[in-house]
Amino acid sequence: MRLKRPTPAQAEPILRAFAAVTRVTSSVDERQAAMIAAARTVLGTDVEPGSLQPLSPAELAAAIDDPAIRSQIVQGMIVLSLLDEEVDAKELQLIEAFAEALAVAPDELRNMQQLVEGRTLALRFDVGRRVWFMERLKKAWREGGFRWLARTVATLALCNDEPLAAKYRALGELPPGSLGRTYFERMREQGFSLPGEKGSQVEPVFIHDLTHLLCGYGTDARGEILTAAFSAGNRHDDPFTYIFFVLCQFHLGMRFSPFAPSEQGAFDPEATLWAAKRGMEVGVDLSEDWDYWSDLGLPVAEVRAKLGMTLPMQPVA
């Protein structure tokens, strides 16, 4: 289910619930305060963050009846609690109380429990299996079986898959400024292998790379978080998982594979919420339903317009 925009009437109780989570511990981290301020802007309310009084789980349940909004609130609480890079059992207990009152149980609530208990290996496996490109890999396996697996493993470390590589090298012949040509040039400039070339990543990552180009965010830790938030904005299924994935990897510093980069403290609340808002403009799930091959020959700006992208990269004051 896609992310939903709360109504203006729901803004104040949501912010009050967030305030309740931040006040469980002795002090409010500046990043938590920044997230509440950013949420205030996105929700379109003029309520002053300093005037917010915490409310109870029962009061929040009475104010919010939409199951999708309820789930998003609990997921937002989880992000809020982890922004200080600490896992607090008291915060988890309160979030669980809110989740029970709202009658929702998002997967990330279980993941936060795993963090509290120090079961990071279980968390890595649980989150990793839910990330969107895993479904793409499963589909490729179902369609290609052992032949697909053998070709993929060979490409990763041994040799070219010439038919596949030729398909992506042909993008370099598209018109300058087109999405496909821009992708080709960017990969060559950065020294990355194209799908099918020796040392390349699995082919489904191509969609993620195109998303980077469309939303304009970089490939550093901050850029990966913002791209994940943008993607969550237009995902139809389990949109929050990808945000939680990059939160763990690029803010909490957890590695999901020996080859994956990790970093701590890269989560920018204001920019991340804005990126999700930009993603919500897009009417199609880019990772699943976008016919990207038909758009690769179009100018990047034209593809953005076709998808309905109008908001700038930076938050508007």
Side-chain angles (χ1 to χ4, degrees):
M1 183 179 296
R2 290 187 65 139
L3 295 177
K4 295 186 68 174
R5 293 181 178 87
T7 66
Q10 294 170 331
E12 184 171 346
I14 290 173
L15 294 175
R16 290 177 61 194
F18 285 175
V21 172
T22 63
R23 296 177 192 180
V24 169
T25 54
S26 58
S27 61
V28 178
D29 185 88
E30 62 181 13
R31 291 163 293 188
Q32 293 175 324
M35 179 172 171
I36 291 179
R40 169 181 174 268
T41 300
V42 170
L43 292 171
T45 177
D46 57 3
V47 176
E48 289 298 327
S51 67
L52 294 170
Q53 295 300 314
L55 83 174
S56 69
E59 289 174 316
L60 182 62
I64 310 290
D65 59 4
D66 186 309
I69 300 294
R70 285 181 166 196
S71 185
Q72 288 172 201
I73 292 170
V74 173
Q75 290 166 331
M77 289 177 175
I78 293 170
V79 171
L80 191 62
S81 70
L82 297 178
L83 284 182
D84 59 2
E85 300 175 54
E86 296 180 1
V87 183
D88 191 282
K90 292 181 180 179
E91 289 177 338
L92 173 60
Q93 290 172 359
L94 179 59
I95 295 171
E96 287 177 331
F98 275 110
E100 182 178 359
L102 296 173
V104 296
D107 291 326
E108 293 76 22
L109 194 60
R110 178 180 66 250
N111 297 145
M112 189 174 178
Q113 179 70 52
Q114 292 166 337
L115 280 171
V116 168
E117 296 174 354
R119 296 189 292 121
T120 55
L121 183 60
L123 180 143
R124 290 187 182 95
F125 177 79
D126 193 16
V127 175
R129 68 180 176 82
R130 301 198 312 268
V131 176
W132 69 268
F133 64 78
M134 291 302 294
E135 290 302 318
R136 287 274 178 168
L137 295 181
K138 291 176 185 176
K139 180 180 179 182
W141 166 258
R142 289 193 297 268
E143 294 175 350
F146 284 105
R147 176 179 293 183
W148 170 83
L149 180 61
R151 289 171 58 192
T152 300
V153 172
T155 302
L156 288 173
L158 300 175
C159 59
N160 290 342
D161 178 342
E162 284 299 338
L164 183 61
K167 176 182 176 182
Y168 284 92
R169 289 171 185 153
L171 298 179
E173 303 301 318
L174 292 174
S178 64
L179 180 61
R181 177 73 170 268
T182 302
Y183 164 80
F184 175 87
E185 292 173 347
R186 186 72 55 84
M187 295 293 282
R188 290 301 191 225
E189 288 169 3
Q190 297 180 350
F192 295 140
S193 300
L194 297 169
E197 294 181 337
K198 179 181 176 180
S200 63
Q201 299 190 66
V202 290
E203 189 177 7
V205 176
F206 176 54
I207 306 170
H208 177 65
D209 292 338
L210 291 180
T211 303
H212 270 285
L213 292 177
L214 286 174
C215 62
Y217 301 126
T219 56
D220 59 353
R222 184 178 186 275
E224 291 294 349
I225 290 176
L226 298 183
T227 301
F230 176 88
S231 296
N234 58 78
R235 281 279 295 166
H236 289 309
D237 298 320
D238 203 10
F240 186 73
T241 292
Y242 205 31
I243 294 180
F244 189 77
F245 174 83
V246 293
L247 174 69
C248 289
Q249 180 160 302
F250 297 117
H251 190 73
L252 300 182
M254 297 179 62
R255 284 192 180 276
F256 282 83
S257 85
F259 308 102
S262 63
E263 189 168 322
Q264 288 184 264
F267 196 97
D268 181 331
E270 182 182 22
T272 301
L273 289 179
W274 182 259
K277 185 175 181 179
R278 291 183 71 210
M280 291 173 73
E281 287 189 301
V282 179
V284 63
D285 183 335
L286 295 180
S287 62
E288 296 292 341
D289 303 324
W290 178 32
D291 180 16
Y292 49 89
W293 282 102
S294 67
D295 288 340
L296 292 178
L298 301 177
V300 175
E302 186 174 331
V303 178
R304 288 171 177 156
K306 181 178 178 180
L307 294 172
M309 297 176 60
T310 63
L311 292 176
M313 286 180 58
Q314 303 299 325
V316 176

